[in-house]
Amino acid sequence: MKYADWPLAAPVNLTWEITHRCNLRCVHCLSASSEASEYELSYDECKRIVDELAALKVFEINFGGGEPLLKGYFLPLLRYIHKKGIVTCISTNGTCLTDEAIALFDNNPLVNVQVSLDGATAQVNDAIRGRGTFLKIIEGIEKLAGKDIPLSINSVVTSKNYFQLKELKELAVTYGANLRVSRFRPSGRARASWEALRLNSPQLKELADWLNSEPDILTGDSFFSISQDGRRQLGLDMCGACKMTCCIDPFGDVYPCAFLQADEFRAGSLRQSTARHSRVNGNPGGGLKDIWDNSSVFKYFRNLEPASCRSCPRFEKCRGGCPAVAYFINQDLNSADPECLANWSKDISLPSLPL
């Protein structure tokens, strides 16, 4: 039975890219964040969206950006969200933490914090996140450590840091944190760094072996397509875009996921009475419920089963893998995830991005 035959009434959780403003220029940034736009949502517009999410009983909001802590109204917005009983996860680069933010996070059952770090040493991390960032990020982690704050260190796995995963885990343990690894995908600024940072097939195999031996490592995204059967029990078995989750961008536009923020995947708008509020992809964009139920984009993703994957013995274990990787590499959502485990046995080399 396809997921489209039993869709949820609303997303369980969603990603909210609250701003494009960021003080770093990471070479793998999924949104190519730099400066905020004057057209980003206002505080009142965000509160209205939160009211709708609460009414839909959305369980969790995962905040990213940009750097969320650089958004002037972010902490007041968090307080408003928590009054609604919604769980929040804040993804931060750790360099902008204030005493006010830490006080809000501490002993708060509705907060999880995820700090981005892309190497266990300054040499490795700073090549990706910028010179001098390692020590600044560690300083931020130290401010959070030892408090009643669920903390994880998030690392995007690339050819520059995959060999430091063991050391990253040990570093996380030192601070009482979990290690969460994210998959490198060619969206945003990462398209320009894909060739330099992507893992080749032997490295992907090594990563899969390591993940299989480390069941406590968090993998909150599409590693299901490169995971061995030993991690099946963790429930990583399909792309959740438009099925369990979606993404809101800084302007209130809605997309299947944070890695598919392209015009062709814009499913609607949560902003009312503005120039950006118009019919998108056949949907009025009058609210998240309408988009979730009626968006042609969302319906397409719920029925997405790449033809090339249906005869694969691993199909029920990954259902085609990550559509974002397939799209940006092959310009085709109906193609297989180029990094899927099944492709390695065929000794297929990973393709380059189309020119």
Side-chain angles (χ1 to χ4, degrees):
M1 178 182 293
K2 292 183 179 180
Y3 175 87
D5 295 330
W6 46 276
L8 298 179
V12 176
N13 58 51
L14 54 83
T15 297
W16 194 340
E17 306 288 307
I18 197 69
T19 182
H20 280 151
R21 183 184 177 193
C22 192
N23 58 316
L24 304 186
R25 299 294 183 271
C26 302
V27 297
H28 58 20
C29 180
L30 69 90
S31 59
S33 294
S34 56
E35 302 299 330
S37 165
E38 62 179 309
Y39 298 108
E40 291 184 358
L41 293 166
S42 69
Y43 179 52
D44 287 340
E45 287 175 316
C46 288
K47 287 174 63 178
R48 182 183 58 76
I49 291 173
V50 170
D51 290 342
E52 181 177 8
L53 300 183
L56 291 174
K57 302 188 184 303
V58 170
F59 174 74
E60 182 177 33
I61 302 172
N62 302 311
F63 279 105
E67 170 53 51
L69 291 172
L70 290 178
K71 194 67 178 177
Y73 58 65
F74 183 62
L75 296 184
L77 182 64
L78 276 185
R79 294 187 182 95
Y80 187 77
I81 291 168
H82 295 158
K83 287 181 180 179
K84 301 287 184 177
I86 300 175
V87 175
T88 55
C89 178
I90 296 93
S91 294
T92 174
N93 61 40
T95 69
C96 302
L97 289 162
T98 62
D99 290 342
E100 181 185 4
I102 294 171
L104 177 57
F105 300 161
D106 194 13
N107 195 31
N108 187 334
L110 298 176
V111 166
N112 298 280
V113 178
Q114 176 179 293
V115 179
S116 298
L117 182 71
D118 285 306
T121 60
Q123 181 180 9
V124 173
N125 173 84
D126 291 6
I128 298 172
R129 306 194 69 83
R131 185 177 180 181
T133 57
F134 180 80
L135 292 179
K136 293 178 181 178
I137 294 168
I138 291 297
E139 182 180 349
I141 292 172
E142 289 174 343
K143 291 178 181 179
L144 297 166
K147 296 181 171 57
D148 188 11
I149 302 173
L151 177 64
S152 62
I153 292 175
N154 183 74
S155 298
V156 178
V157 184
T158 68
S159 61
K160 306 302 182 185
N161 67 6
Y162 81 98
F163 57 89
Q164 285 195 333
L165 289 172
K166 179 181 178 182
E167 289 79 6
L168 280 164
K169 179 186 176 183
E170 292 170 350
L171 187 149
V173 170
T174 298
Y175 292 108
N178 292 310
L179 176 63
R180 179 183 185 272
V181 294
S182 293
R183 191 173 165 196
F184 177 55
R185 280 170 282 194
S187 64
R189 195 177 292 128
R191 298 200 73 189
S193 59
W194 171 251
E195 290 302 319
L197 298 182
R198 66 175 175 86
L199 299 177
N200 60 32
S201 294
Q203 291 167 343
L204 285 166
K205 179 64 166 62
E206 187 175 344
L207 172 61
D209 289 340
W210 185 79
L211 288 173
N212 199 44
S213 68
E214 296 282 352
D216 56 330
I217 297 297
L218 304 178
T219 53
D221 54 14
S222 66
F223 277 105
F224 52 82
S225 61
I226 62 172
S227 295
Q228 299 182 25
D229 291 350
R231 289 181 68 86
R232 299 264 56 85
Q233 59 185 338
L234 302 182
L236 307 175
D237 61 356
M238 69 172 180
C239 169
C242 307
K243 307 175 185 74
M244 294 178 288
T245 189
C246 60
C247 173
I248 303 172
D249 80 355
F251 311 109
D253 290 335
V254 181
Y255 298 88
C257 82
F259 295 94
L260 286 167
Q261 295 181 67
D263 286 345
E264 54 266 46
F265 302 122
R266 191 167 68 230
S269 173
L270 301 183
R271 173 173 261 167
Q272 294 181 339
S273 302
T274 71
R276 291 182 63 88
H277 178 68
S278 60
R279 294 186 64 88
V280 178
N281 291 328
N283 302 289
L288 184 60
K289 178 61 175 174
D290 184 31
I291 295 170
W292 186 259
D293 288 344
N294 300 314
S295 163
S296 57
V297 171
F298 279 30
K299 289 179 179 179
Y300 180 87
F301 271 83
R302 287 169 188 157
N303 284 285
L304 185 60
E305 291 186 352
S308 60
C309 296
R310 292 172 193 165
S311 60
C312 176
R314 296 190 80 250
F315 180 68
E316 293 300 329
K317 297 174 181 178
C318 79
R319 307 194 73 81
C322 177
V325 178
Y327 177 77
F328 286 118
I329 297 299
N330 299 321
Q331 298 297 296
D332 182 8
L333 286 171
N334 281 294
S335 64
D337 185 332
E339 295 183 335
C340 178
L341 183 66
N343 284 332
W344 307 342
S345 61
K346 304 172 187 175
D347 195 28
I348 297 176
S349 59
L350 297 181
S352 302
L353 283 174
L355 298 178

